[in-house]
Amino acid sequence: MQPYIVLYRDQALLPFDSPCAFMCQADDSDHAEEQTLDAYPDAEIVWVAQTISVDEAFADYWGTDAN
């Protein structure tokens, strides 16, 4: 199992709000998405990163440098 951070949106967020982050251990990115949807059934998955750093996941999502 590897660490993943899944960024997702739900209906409570406004369109300009940053996504929420879900941290988990998974076999692969599909498994990480599945775990996120188990926890948040109405979530819209927007990004999956194999990392333990939320900052790194958001930097990857936004296309910026985490440092």
Side-chain angles (χ1 to χ4, degrees):
M1 297 265 227
Q2 299 295 318
Y4 283 88
I5 295 180
V6 180
L7 303 181
Y8 69 94
R9 301 186 61 73
D10 67 22
Q11 295 176 357
L13 294 176
L14 296 174
F16 51 83
D17 288 339
S18 290
C20 299
F22 179 77
M23 303 168 85
C24 63
Q25 295 284 323
D27 296 324
D28 56 27
S29 60
D30 289 337
H31 186 212
E33 287 187 27
E34 181 182 318
Q35 289 185 49
T36 304
L37 293 173
D38 286 346
Y40 302 99
D42 294 330
E44 174 191 348
I45 307 296
V46 295
W47 199 258
V48 179
Q50 186 177 342
T51 182
I52 60 170
S53 169
V54 173
D55 289 339
E56 202 173 288
F58 273 108
D60 193 29
Y61 174 71
W62 293 116
T64 60
D65 187 5
N67 296 320

